[in-house]
Every structure is written in C-alpha cells, then in structure tokens.
Amino acid sequence: MTPLNSTSADFEQAALARFRSLAGFLPQDCRIFRESWGRSTVVCLDFVNCPHLFNIDKEQARSLSQAIAELSLADSMIFRLGNKIVGWQKVTP
C-alpha cells in the first residue's frame, strides 16, 4: 500500500490486521469486521467457521477491548456465530 494509492478500505484492512496481531489468541478462522449500528461502529468477531473455539474469558475480552480502543476502531464489540449474536461488550480503554 503506497500513500498515493491508499483508500479508506486499505486503511480499514490495515487497522483490522493490526487488531488481529494485537489479539493473537483469536483463531485464524475468526472473521473480524466492522459495521455501523445507528450512530455507532462495532467490531464484529464472527466464530461461525470455528464455533468450537468460541471461548473468550474476561481477561481476553478486556484485552480485545483495549486493542479496539487503542486503534479507535469502535465503541463496542459483538461476538457472533454467523447471523446469531452471542455476546456484546462496550469498549473500555
């Protein structure tokens, strides 16, 4: 990615890749994306491809929240299994 050829999609992918590196305990099959919910943005962690690995403890949730806040990615995070929401947490720095 060069500065002259960068798009907001490029920056989005770079930020999500950085987030994934900060949250190294997430399975590689976990899909990570952002979406708008009203006036807020949420980071979605979708475990549909690895439901057997969906087991986030309090310390890991805190770590995810800190990484999201550090990168200014969202106000909340949502845990999904496909279209089914299985958890939600407000991001706290």
Side-chain angles (χ1 to χ4, degrees):
M1 175 170 70
T2 64
L4 297 176
N5 294 329
S6 298
T7 66
S8 60
D10 293 331
F11 289 118
E12 174 95 1
Q13 291 307 307
L16 291 175
R18 177 71 179 135
F19 171 72
R20 186 177 283 282
S21 74
L22 292 173
F25 57 86
L26 288 175
Q28 285 300 313
D29 288 342
C30 177
R31 185 171 163 240
I32 302 171
F33 58 98
R34 292 186 335 147
E35 64 184 27
S36 296
W37 279 50
R39 295 182 183 167
S40 297
T41 301
V42 298
V43 169
C44 297
L45 305 165
D46 190 348
F47 290 82
V48 73
N49 293 325
C50 52
H52 57 288
L53 298 175
F54 177 66
N55 186 22
I56 302 293
D57 62 31
K58 287 183 181 183
E59 185 59 37
Q60 289 171 323
R62 190 174 310 124
S63 178
L64 291 171
S65 184
Q66 289 172 340
I68 291 168
E70 179 181 321
L71 296 170
S72 300
L73 289 174
D75 303 317
S76 300
M77 61 181 151
I78 293 178
F79 301 96
R80 293 177 174 261
L81 288 172
N83 291 329
K84 181 180 178 185
I85 295 173
V86 292
W88 170 87
Q89 183 172 330
K90 180 103 174 106
V91 168
T92 54

